[in-house]
Amino acid sequence: MHMQQVTAVTATGAGAPPGTVVTVRGAVVDVAFADAGLPPIHTALRVAWDRPELLLLEVQGHLDLHTARCIALQNTAGLARGTTVRSTGAPVLVPVGDAVLGRLLDVVGQVHDLGPALPADTPLRSIHNPPPTLEQEASAIEVFETGVKVIDLLAPMAQGGKAAMFGGAGVGKTVLVMELIHATVEKYRGISVFAGVGERLREGHEMLSDMRDSGVLARTVLVYGQMNEPPGARWRVPHSALTIAEYFRDQKHQNVLLLMDNVFRFVQAGSEVSSLLGRLPSRVGYQPTLGSEVAALQERIASVAGTAVTAIQAVYVPADDFTDPAVTAISSHMDSMIMLSRQLAAEGFYPAVDPLASTSALLDPLVVGVEHYRIAERVRETLARFKELQDIIALLGVEELGANDRLVVKRARRLQRFLSQPFMVTEAFTGTPGRTVARADTLAGVRAILDGETDAWAESSLYMVGTLDEAWHKEQASAPTPHAAEPAT
């Protein structure tokens, strides 16, 4: 909806006859409109109650000719029957444009960073916008370098594409997303929009402080609907963040880096809303509208000619079940899928990215080049063979393998260690400075390991380093021996 239309609709709705609250059941509020037609679906209603806090309702359905069923976007504690409700005549509107840069907003665009209020002339935009048409969309074929070795090598991300980190509880999704923010936002010449969906309050404070300290907050917008908020807020906050991103894409023609943590909480909030509205659950208890809700969100994350929206999303995997309906619904929209492994995390390999399960549409010789593609395939073959041999090793030991298989095991173990990497966001906890590695350095290091140039090195020399040169210096410092030759570059 264009700005002129939104303003006109709001002005029209301002004089509409008010409604009255007839039922309050937690986040679900029924409103009766006795003398006027019902407001359309997705219309925002403002509650005129005796509290200073804003309370907005969003129409979700019509129970009869006079009653609308709504979802509250803020806490309804203290809301009584008989309270007056006025229709805004428009969907929920959020502030957009340069005024929101460097600010922390909630689902309806209120400022929560203890800073000054937004200017009165800040433009507003509806959170419900259609995705670009197929003719308008631009395909994503340019690699978006992250500086994280295992991602750039095996699951490269696309400039203007969608990437998701899938993993269970405690395997490092948020840490990986935070590292990608550190690694990419500082060198990224564009606008960054972060959507915190159903996450912890502590993480919101940390994000705001980190971005302020690193000097990138001036080009970033933070939009939060956290786990202490009602399901309506958590359900709509990704749409609010997307609306801000779309404004910079369409009106300002600026590239946007869109970061979401955690998309599963969006699905979870939608499931709560569906149950509160009385819909029968579908597969595994999820809402029957799961596929359409995810599609409505993900299809809006699109690039148009000349302007890219690059999305990095964290996705919680309940009970480590990658066949969960929510996970499969989200993964079907992704260009790059980065799977995190609990086993690798338990063994101390961070980032705990599963190199065999992670995939990317960009891992194609026409996109990344023939050399990169061949190296990635050799890495997968080596690690896949190592995985096949692990049962035999557990039973009989490495000594019982043939010479070729022993060589595969030796190089696979070194690859596993080299693909680990110290992060900037964990430096305060580990004492190890973070590393960002260029894709060319990653390819050179992996090629050297595959070619046997590090066979004589200690495995520990390759663990938690950046480039292979750093590993060589570590090897020299720990056990300088004549056979630890510097690898060819």
Side-chain angles (χ1 to χ4, degrees), residues 38 56 71 79 108 126 157 198 214 284 325-327 364 421 426 431 450 453 464 479:
L38 291 173
L56 282 183
I71 286 289
L79 179 61
V108 296
S126 164
M157 291 165 47
S214 58
V284 198
V327 176
D364 184 288
Q421 186 170 340
T426 60
L450 290 169
E453 295 178 25
M464 283 294 172

Side-chain angles (χ1 to χ4, degrees), residues 100-407:
V100 300
L101 290 174
R103 308 307 300 270
L104 188 150
L105 310 175
D106 66 7
V107 64
V108 296
Q110 295 186 108
V111 178
H112 286 272
D113 55 10
L114 304 180
L118 296 174
D121 59 351
T122 304
L124 303 174
R125 188 164 176 166
S126 164
I127 67 169
H128 298 287
N129 296 310
T133 62
L134 195 59
E135 292 82 0
Q136 293 173 317
E137 286 193 26
S139 57
I141 56 172
E142 184 182 345
V143 175
F144 183 83
E145 286 197 28
T146 65
V148 179
K149 291 182 287 190
V150 66
I151 293 176
D152 289 342
L153 174 67
L154 298 173
M157 291 165 47
Q159 175 86 19
K162 293 188 281 256
M165 288 77 187
F166 297 88
V171 296
K173 295 182 302 301
T174 298
V175 171
L176 184 52
V177 169
M178 292 279 287
E179 181 67 16
L180 291 174
I181 291 171
H182 273 264
T184 58
V185 169
E186 292 186 33
K187 68 177 181 180
Y188 187 76
R189 297 292 94 187
I191 301 300
S192 302
V193 179
F194 181 86
V197 187
E199 290 300 286
R200 301 166 184 85
L201 290 170
R202 167 184 56 79
E203 293 170 347
H205 288 296
E206 287 177 1
M207 177 74 71
L208 183 62
S209 299
D210 288 348
M211 289 199 163
R212 188 175 281 138
D213 294 343
S214 58
V216 300
L217 187 61
R219 300 195 315 276
T220 305
V221 186
L222 304 175
V223 188
Y224 275 90
Q226 295 182 288
M227 62 169 52
N228 64 319
E229 297 189 52
R234 290 179 272 120
W235 190 40
R236 288 307 186 204
V237 76
H239 297 89
S240 300
L242 255 175
T243 299
I244 295 169
E246 287 168 340
Y247 180 85
F248 285 108
R249 179 194 69 190
D250 299 334
Q251 268 66 40
K252 297 288 188 178
H253 304 291
Q254 292 176 284
N255 290 338
V256 180
L257 180 62
L258 178 66
L259 304 137
M260 287 193 196
D261 187 8
N262 183 302
V263 183
F264 177 80
R265 305 297 179 197
F266 158 74
V267 173
Q268 198 173 42
S271 179
E272 292 177 48
V273 167
S274 181
S275 298
L276 290 168
L277 293 174
R279 297 176 188 147
L280 289 174
S282 184
R283 279 180 60 203
V284 198
Y286 285 108
Q287 60 269 42
T289 52
L290 171 64
S292 59
E293 286 179 14
V294 171
L297 177 71
Q298 296 293 344
E299 290 304 310
R300 285 176 62 184
I301 305 173
S303 302
V304 297
T307 313
V309 176
T310 305
I312 300 173
Q313 308 173 38
V315 183
Y316 167 68
V317 179
D320 290 343
D321 180 12
F322 286 88
T323 64
D324 186 85
V327 176
T328 55
I330 295 167
S331 64
S332 63
H333 294 273
M334 296 299 145
D335 301 308
S336 303
M337 289 187 290
I338 298 156
M339 303 295 192
L340 299 176
S341 163
R342 188 170 301 281
Q343 181 182 347
L344 289 173
E347 293 174 6
F349 296 117
Y350 290 102
V353 175
D354 188 332
L356 300 178
S358 302
T359 60
S360 172
L362 268 71
L363 193 58
D364 184 288
L366 296 176
V367 178
V368 297
V370 175
E371 181 67 11
H372 182 155
Y373 180 77
R374 286 177 177 168
I375 290 173
E377 286 300 292
R378 287 178 66 192
V379 169
R380 288 188 193 276
E381 289 170 10
T382 303
L383 294 175
R385 181 58 181 159
F386 177 49
K387 188 174 182 179
E388 291 172 3
L389 294 170
Q390 281 181 329
D391 285 344
I392 299 174
I393 295 170
L395 289 171
L396 304 175
V398 180
E399 296 77 14
E400 297 300 318
L401 299 176
N404 287 340
D405 284 342
R406 284 202 302 272
L407 202 57

